[in-house]
Amino acid sequence: MATDGARVVARGLSVPFNAEIDDREEMPDQGWDRVLVWAFRDRHRGHPPTIASALEITVDTEYLGRGLSYRMPAALRQACGRQGHGVLLAPVRPTAKHVHPRVPMDRYIRRRRDDGLPTDPWLRVHVKAGGTIAHSVHQAAGGPSASRG
């Protein structure tokens, strides 16, 4: 969470889950929708978490353009690290995909600028924060691509 005095100006939410049971993938095609179900079941059944998944990063619109979108993924990863999770998965919804509706998601997430960074601004934020683009997640409500950092 980021604050300006008493005002919350950004927040990041994540959930730990066990990626090593029931033939689970680290990031299922259903994105964080499936991860939430797994996390709930794991907690209920006493399965220890092995990894964490980001659910959301939100920045107050009055604070956009101040660098919080770059600092929040790193802060979320550090918070997960303090809880013992060496990896934070992030189902990321590319923010400029709508500009290229005919480009398949698998191709869109691989597009790069001359400096080698993703053309999509939100994917670029995650890569700059240390994430890597793993694969496309096609059925997710939470986001059609995933980064790992």
Side-chain angles (χ1 to χ4, degrees), residues 100-130:
H100 306 281
R102 289 187 168 78
V103 176
M105 184 61 73
D106 290 334
R107 265 195 17 229
Y108 179 79
I109 65 173
R110 304 280 176 229
R111 288 184 166 188
R112 297 289 179 266
R113 304 184 319 180
D114 289 340
D115 62 4
L117 291 170
T119 57
D120 185 85
W122 194 224
L123 292 178
R124 194 166 48 248
V125 163
H126 286 271
V127 168
K128 284 184 171 183

Side-chain angles (χ1 to χ4, degrees), residues 10-142:
R11 72 175 186 179
L13 303 173
S14 66
V15 63
F17 70 100
N18 189 312
E20 298 174 356
I21 59 174
D22 300 330
D23 298 322
R24 294 177 180 177
E25 317 164 57
E26 283 187 342
M27 184 51 65
D29 273 343
Q30 299 82 12
W32 60 257
D33 304 62
R34 176 61 52 98
V35 167
L36 275 173
V37 171
W38 288 346
F40 175 79
R41 285 184 185 156
D42 291 347
R43 185 171 175 92
H44 180 72
R45 295 175 182 163
H47 297 301
T50 60
I51 199 166
S53 176
L55 299 177
E56 167 187 315
I57 292 176
T58 305
V59 178
D60 185 315
T61 55
E62 291 182 31
Y63 287 77
L64 293 175
R66 299 183 190 191
L68 286 171
S69 64
Y70 286 97
R71 292 193 303 259
M72 290 306 293
L76 190 56
R77 188 172 43 181
Q78 290 169 359
C80 289
R82 286 191 302 273
Q83 295 178 14
H85 307 294
V87 174
L88 173 66
L89 301 176
V92 177
R93 182 181 301 276
T95 56
K97 174 64 174 92
H98 68 283
V99 178
H100 306 281
R102 289 187 168 78
V103 176
M105 184 61 73
D106 290 334
R107 265 195 17 229
Y108 179 79
I109 65 173
R110 304 280 176 229
R111 288 184 166 188
R112 297 289 179 266
R113 304 184 319 180
D114 289 340
D115 62 4
L117 291 170
T119 57
D120 185 85
W122 194 224
L123 292 178
R124 194 166 48 248
V125 163
H126 286 271
V127 168
K128 284 184 171 183
T132 58
I133 298 172
H135 62 88
S136 209
V137 178
H138 299 281
Q139 301 171 24

